[in-house]
Amino acid sequence: MASNDTFLIGIIGSGPIGLECGLRALQYGYRFVIFEAGDDIANNVRSWSHVRLFTPLNMNMSSLGRTHVEPNDDDSTYLTGDEYIERYLRPISRHLQPNIRLRHRVISVGRHDINRFVILVENGQINREEYMLLDCVIDASGTYGCPNFAGPGRLPAINERALRMAASPLISYRVPSERDEHLAGKRILLIGKGYSAATSAVFLDLPITYLHSSKVSPLQLLLDEELLIFHL
């Protein structure tokens, strides 16, 4: 097996897990590259930057990560996604900066020979695709950008694919924010039962229809421009 200083690790995603993997690789002397599809670190976290975490900062920091940020006595606060980035993720990312490649979207991962991997990367900085050989690949991209379908067995609900592909999509898989002015006057169908759905229900503060998808089979979504659907 290759020694640590020749073993190359590819880490997909620069959110909390991806950056933690980078810190560990740095600690043990591995070569590594962190691929981030967005223009800045923690692209998925920035998608819910307005949402407040339901656990305090001290439960969202690793022991290793703590050593790379300024000591702060007030680590029991409940931060928003944006505050979490600035208070914790961005400081630790500065120690990894030479190894973080922004606007690099990993399209596919495949085997190369027996003990190596090859990845296809969409390099947004120069607007072209390229291959890269790696000894190890860690997928820390998370699930936020890959939502489940709303139908039974995680299949698409009736009409769900059409709703996704509409010119102005009528279904959303993210927590709404103040920027969603188009919600005014609309009927809202909220599907889900977790923290994200509860947060959305509180934020919307509107007459809504709440639907727990596991109670409905089969589920049919209506093609109605006056109905906006949030599946969380």
Side-chain angles (χ1 to χ4, degrees):
M1 180 176 176
S3 61
N4 288 13
D5 59 355
T6 60
F7 193 85
L8 181 58
I9 301 173
I11 302 168
I12 306 173
S14 67
I17 304 303
L19 295 177
E20 176 71 16
C21 291
L23 288 179
R24 291 293 175 181
L26 184 67
Q27 179 185 30
Y28 290 107
Y30 287 101
R31 297 168 59 224
F32 65 96
V33 178
I34 299 176
F35 300 96
E36 171 57 62
D39 297 325
D40 198 359
I41 63 161
N43 191 55
N44 282 345
V45 177
R46 286 187 289 115
S47 298
W48 50 266
S49 60
H50 58 293
V51 178
R52 193 166 300 280
L53 295 167
F54 53 85
T55 50
L57 176 59
N58 55 30
M59 295 182 67
N60 292 286
M61 304 169 68
S62 70
S63 56
L64 179 59
R66 286 176 182 271
T67 66
H68 290 79
V69 298
E70 293 293 330
N72 193 316
D73 295 331
D74 190 20
D75 63 358
S76 61
T77 55
Y78 292 76
L79 305 179
T80 63
D82 189 56
E83 292 168 340
Y84 181 51
I85 290 174
E86 299 307 323
R87 283 274 300 273
Y88 181 63
L89 299 182
R90 193 171 303 285
I92 65 176
S93 74
R94 294 191 182 105
H95 298 272
L96 308 170
Q97 205 59 51
N99 303 79
I100 298 176
R101 297 188 181 180
L102 300 177
R103 299 180 63 193
H104 280 64
R105 181 182 299 277
V106 176
I107 304 300
S108 187
V109 180
R111 282 281 188 182
H112 183 76
D113 295 329
I114 298 176
N115 297 318
R116 304 196 76 191
F117 296 89
V118 58
I119 63 173
L120 176 62
V121 182
E122 183 180 85
N123 185 340
Q125 295 182 357
I126 57 176
N127 197 30
R128 75 178 186 192
E129 295 181 348
E130 54 195 19
Y131 290 116
M132 186 170 184
L133 294 178
L134 300 164
D135 295 293
C136 172
V137 177
I138 300 174
D139 184 358
S141 58
T143 61
Y144 191 80
C146 305
N148 288 319
F149 284 108
R154 302 304 184 188
L155 294 175
I158 305 300
N159 294 326
E160 185 174 4
R161 293 189 303 147
L163 291 169
R164 281 190 177 190
M165 296 184 290
S168 297
L170 300 175
I171 186 168
S172 175
Y173 302 88
R174 60 177 181 78
V175 178
S177 72
E178 289 84 356
R179 296 188 295 270
D180 294 314
E181 298 177 352
H182 66 287
L183 297 180
K186 298 287 188 179
R187 291 185 300 131
I188 305 294
L189 171 65
L190 178 61
I191 305 173
K193 65 172 184 176
Y195 284 106
S196 295
T199 299
S200 299
V202 171
F203 171 80
L204 290 167
D205 193 25
L206 297 168
I208 62 173
T209 300
Y210 181 84
L211 182 62
H212 175 199
S213 59
S214 68
K215 301 294 185 183
V216 182
S217 181
L219 176 63
Q220 179 167 339
L221 303 179
L222 299 178
L223 298 172
D224 182 349
E225 294 185 357
E226 296 304 314
L227 176 67
L228 295 181
I229 302 167
F230 286 85
H231 180 215
L232 299 155

